[in-house]
Amino acid sequence: MEKTYYNHLLQGDAGALKRALYKSMGFTDEALSKPLIGIVNTYTNATPGHYNINELCRQAEKGIEAAGGTAMTFGTIAPCDGIAEGHEGMRYILPSRDLITASVECMVRAHRFDGLVLLGSCDKIVPGLLMAAARLDLPAVFCNSGPMMPACYKGKHYDGNIVTEAVGWKQRGEITEEEFSDIENLAEPCAGSCAMLGTANTMGCMAEAMGMSLPGSAVIPAVYAKRLQIAYETGTAVMGLVKRGITSRTIITRESIENAIVLLMAMGGSTNAIMHLQAIHKEAGLGALSLERFDVFSRKVPQVASVYPASPYDMVDFYEAGGVQAVMKELEPMLHCRCMTVTGEPLSSNLERASYTGRREVIKTREEPFHRDGGVAVLTGNLAPLGGVVKPAAIPCELMRMAGTAKVYQSEPEACRAILKGEVSPGTIIVLRYEGPKGGPGMPEMYRPMKCLEGMGLASSCAIVTDGRFSGSNRGCFVGHISPEAYEGGTIGLVEDGDEIRIDVPGRRLELKVSQEELKKRRKNWKPAEKKLADGYLNTYRRISKSAAEGAVAE
C-alpha cells in the first residue's frame, strides 16, 4: 500500500528524492508522514538572551512530537545590541531585523514546512521573527527566552546598564577602580534578555498582546522551570493551529496590532516597538501604519504599569505582578477581545482565565493610573514634520516641557566625548544627526550619550534630539526617530549651535525657534554629510531602507 504524507512536497514519486534526503539524517517514514514543523532556533553563546534557547528548542521539539508532528530545526543570526553598542557594529543591528525575516522566509519557502515555532528573545530578533510569520502566513507560535534576573548593588536592583552609568560615577570620583570592577562582575547575573523593559522584553510582550505567543509567557524569567514548560506547550500549540488551519494572518490583524499598541502605551515600553509594529503591520499585508495612529492611542490609553527604567520595579517584579495578562485584564474594555490567539481561542477566553494584579505598586487601575496618557508618544513640529518618538514614562516631570540651547553633533562618539569632557552645560539640548536609517546608516541607538548624561549628572537638565533611535533602557528627556532625517534633507540637518529648541511632550510639539527665512538661507548651503562605509550590507540598506516614520523597513 502506498504510504501517505501530510506535507505535500513529500507526496508521491515526485517526493521520493526529498524523502530520501530527510532519511539520510535518520528521519523515518513514520516521522515524515506527520506535519513538518520548522523550529527557528536562534541559539548563540555570543548573545545572553539566546544562550538558553537550545534548551527551549528541545522542549518545543518534545511538544511538537507529543502532539503528532515532526520537528526540524534551523537557525538564523541573533546579534546583541549591548555588545554592538558604541561602535560601528550598532549600525548593523536594525538592518539585521530585515535579514532575519528574509532568512526565515528563504528556509521556510524552500522546505515548505507545515508550521513554525519561532524562538528568539533580543531586540531585533523578536520583530524579525514576527515579521517572518506575518509574511509567510503559516500556523506559527512565538516563544521568547525570558528576561534575566536583575543585578543587585548596595541593596538596590539594576539592569546591566549600571556598567555604563558607573563609567560616569568613576569619572566623577564617586567610585574606585575596584568598585567599578565589582559592578562589571555583578551586572549581568545570568542568561536572558536584559532585566528591564527594553526593546527585547517590550517586543516579547507585544507578541503576547497580539496573540502570537501563549498567555502569560512573555515575562517568565529565563531561569525559571516555567520557561521550559512554556516552550513545550508552544510545541503542542503549533500543532493545534496546524490541525485547525489557523495561520499567522488570522492572528496578526489590524485589531490585534491595535491591542499591542494599547499594551505598549499602558506599560510605557520601548520606543523602538513603534517601528517594529509598523513593520509587522506591513508584512501582514495591512499596508502602512502611521505614526498618527500611535498618537491617537497615546492620548487615550492610560499608563497603568511602570517597570524599570521608568520605576524601581524590574521584570521579575512585573512577572510577579501578573505581567501582560494582568495589564490586559485592567484594560479589557479598550481591547479587541474577539481577536484569535495561538491558543485557538479568542482573547476574551484567555482573559477570562487571567487575574487582576496583587501588586498595585507595579500595575495600577485604569481609573487611577500612573499617567492619564500613554507611556510612549509622538511629537510633531517644524523640527519633525513627519514625527519624532518620545517615552513620557521615562521622562522626569520637570522635563516634560523644556526649552534649551542646541549643541549639534554629527555622530554618537563625538557627542559622548563632549559630554564626558564636561563640554555640555545644564539646559543644553543635544542635537545628534546623520544617525537615521540612511544617514547612519542603519539607525543606531543613541544609548551611550543618554547614559553619559546620567553619569555626569546632567540627565535632569539636558535633552537629546536625534534622527537615530534610543535603547529601551534609556531614561530622561529624549526624542528619537526624527523624520525626515538629516540625510534626506530634514530640518534637523539645518540646526546650528545656539538655536533655541522647545520640547512640549504634553502638547506633542517639537519646535526649532528659527524663522522660515533663516532656514531657507541655511538650506541653500546644505549638503548631506557622507560617511565612509565599508563594502557590504550597509550600502544596500542605505539604498533600500524607508524612513523611520514608516518603520525603517527594507524594501
Side-chain angles (χ1 to χ4, degrees):
M1 188 175 77
E2 185 178 351
K3 296 181 179 68
T4 58
Y5 299 90
Y6 184 94
N7 187 280
H8 76 277
L9 281 188
L10 304 187
Q11 295 168 4
D13 291 348
L17 174 58
K18 299 166 183 63
R19 297 194 300 268
L21 288 166
Y22 281 131
K23 287 176 180 179
S24 74
M25 296 175 282
F27 288 101
T28 64
D29 271 317
E30 181 185 2
L32 295 177
S33 70
K34 300 172 182 178
L36 305 184
I37 308 300
I39 301 179
V40 188
N41 178 354
T42 56
Y43 165 80
T44 171
N45 66 353
T47 302
H50 291 245
Y51 184 71
N52 65 334
I53 284 183
N54 271 344
E55 296 178 4
L56 303 183
C57 185
R58 285 190 286 271
Q59 292 297 315
E61 287 173 351
K62 292 177 183 177
I64 290 166
E65 290 163 5
T70 294
M72 295 183 173
T73 303
F74 65 96
T76 187
I77 61 173
C80 174
D81 284 49
I83 292 171
E85 71 86 16
H87 60 92
E88 288 300 302
M90 179 49 72
R91 304 192 185 284
Y92 290 85
I93 291 295
L94 179 59
S96 76
R97 179 193 69 180
D98 297 77
L99 280 179
I100 290 164
T101 301
S103 70
V104 174
E105 175 200 358
C106 289
M107 185 68 180
V108 172
R109 287 189 168 152
H111 282 243
R112 293 294 195 251
F113 293 121
D114 300 304
L116 282 175
V117 166
L118 308 160
L119 301 177
S121 212
C122 288
D123 296 37
K124 309 307 169 291
I125 297 89
V126 178
L129 295 176
L130 293 172
M131 288 163 64
R135 182 182 294 181
L136 292 163
D137 194 25
L138 289 174
V141 186
F142 170 77
C143 179
N144 60 330
S145 75
M148 70 168 63
M149 304 300 285
C152 186
Y153 177 66
K154 293 186 176 179
K156 181 180 176 183
H157 282 180
Y158 291 86
D159 74 311
N161 293 302
I162 184 178
V163 173
T164 310
E165 294 180 40
V167 171
W169 299 343
K170 185 173 71 168
Q171 185 90 7
R172 301 206 309 269
E174 295 178 8
I175 59 173
T176 65
E177 188 67 42
E178 184 178 8
E179 288 174 307
F180 182 78
S181 180
D182 289 342
I183 289 171
E184 176 185 331
N185 291 333
L186 60 80
E188 310 276 6
C190 63
S193 50
C194 295
M196 78 300 189
L197 192 57
T199 306
N201 289 320
T202 296
M203 290 310 300
C205 293
M206 296 298 97
E208 184 177 331
M210 70 176 71
M212 281 298 292
S213 58
L214 291 172
S217 65
V219 295
I220 300 168
V223 297
Y224 281 22
K226 183 64 176 174
R227 175 55 60 190
L228 298 175
Q229 294 163 7
I230 281 290
Y232 180 93
E233 292 166 11
T234 295
T236 62
V238 75
M239 288 304 300
L241 298 181
V242 170
K243 291 170 184 176
R244 294 180 58 184
I246 298 173
T247 64
S248 294
R249 290 192 183 185
T250 308
I251 297 170
I252 303 176
T253 63
R254 194 179 314 278
E255 290 76 18
S256 74
I257 290 177
E258 286 188 351
N259 286 345
I261 296 172
V262 168
L263 180 68
L264 175 65
M265 300 304 166
M267 63 196 291
S270 169
T271 54
N272 289 310
I274 288 180
M275 64 170 52
H276 298 325
L277 290 174
Q278 287 177 305
I280 294 165
H281 189 275
K282 184 175 183 299
E283 293 292 355
L286 301 171
L289 176 59
S290 69
L291 284 177
E292 287 79 9
R293 195 80 190 118
F294 288 89
D295 192 50
V296 168
F297 283 92
S298 177
R299 293 175 185 272
K300 70 180 183 180
V301 178
Q303 185 196 341
V304 298
S306 189
V307 184
Y308 189 86
S311 81
Y313 303 108
D314 53 48
M315 294 306 298
V316 177
D317 291 310
F318 187 46
Y319 170 66
E320 292 173 352
V324 171
Q325 294 298 295
V327 175
M328 295 182 79
K329 186 77 170 176
E330 206 63 57
L331 297 176
E332 191 168 357
M334 307 186 79
L335 298 171
H336 300 287
C337 290
R338 296 172 67 181
C339 288
M340 179 57 67
T341 71
V342 294
T343 63
E345 297 180 306
L347 176 61
S348 57
S349 297
N350 297 339
L351 290 180
E352 283 177 9
R353 293 186 286 272
S355 301
Y356 290 101
T357 186
R359 293 190 59 179
R360 285 298 182 195
E361 76 277 18
V362 181
I363 302 173
K364 293 190 178 295
T365 65
R366 187 160 56 97
E367 293 74 23
E368 297 181 356
F370 287 99
H371 300 288
R372 293 290 173 190
D373 291 347
V376 178
V378 176
L379 309 187
T380 55
N382 69 342
L383 192 49
L386 298 181
V389 175
V390 68
K391 185 174 178 177
I395 300 177
C397 292
E398 65 272 17
L399 296 183
M400 286 289 190
R401 286 189 174 92
M402 70 172 294
T405 303
K407 186 78 173 173
V408 181
Y409 300 98
Q410 307 287 74
S411 71
E412 178 194 19
E414 182 185 358
C416 289
R417 285 193 296 270
I419 295 167
L420 293 176
K421 285 181 179 178
E423 296 174 4
V424 173
S425 304
T428 298
I429 295 182
I430 293 171
V431 177
L432 247 172
R433 61 194 183 194
Y434 294 101
E435 297 290 15
K438 294 183 182 296
M443 202 181 180
E445 65 182 28
M446 301 297 102
Y447 158 87
R448 288 186 68 239
M450 204 70 226
K451 291 296 183 182
C452 289
L453 286 178
E454 285 188 54
M456 296 298 286
L458 294 168
S460 61
S461 61
C462 293
I464 296 179
V465 172
T466 181
D467 49 13
R469 300 181 294 113
F470 285 96
S471 166
S473 70
N474 283 131
R475 56 179 176 264
C477 188
F478 53 87
V479 187
H481 305 204
I482 299 296
S483 300
E485 61 177 289
Y487 190 83
E488 293 190 302
T491 308
I492 190 173
L494 307 179
V495 181
E496 295 181 358
D497 287 351
D499 288 347
E500 182 184 350
I501 294 174
R502 292 186 182 178
I503 300 170
D504 181 358
V505 176
R508 302 295 195 264
R509 299 296 294 172
L510 179 64
E511 297 287 345
L512 175 66
K513 306 306 289 185
V514 174
S515 69
Q516 285 299 313
E517 292 75 15
E518 174 61 22
L519 291 176
K520 285 179 183 178
K521 290 179 186 176
R522 294 181 188 181
R523 191 171 293 283
K524 288 179 182 178
N525 299 317
W526 173 82
K527 291 182 181 179
E530 295 285 353
K531 296 177 182 175
K532 186 177 180 181
L533 300 178
D535 292 340
Y537 179 52
L538 284 185
N539 292 278
T540 302
Y541 184 77
R542 168 177 279 175
R543 188 172 67 252
I544 66 176
S545 62
K546 303 286 282 185
S547 164
E550 300 176 77
V553 294
E555 288 189 335

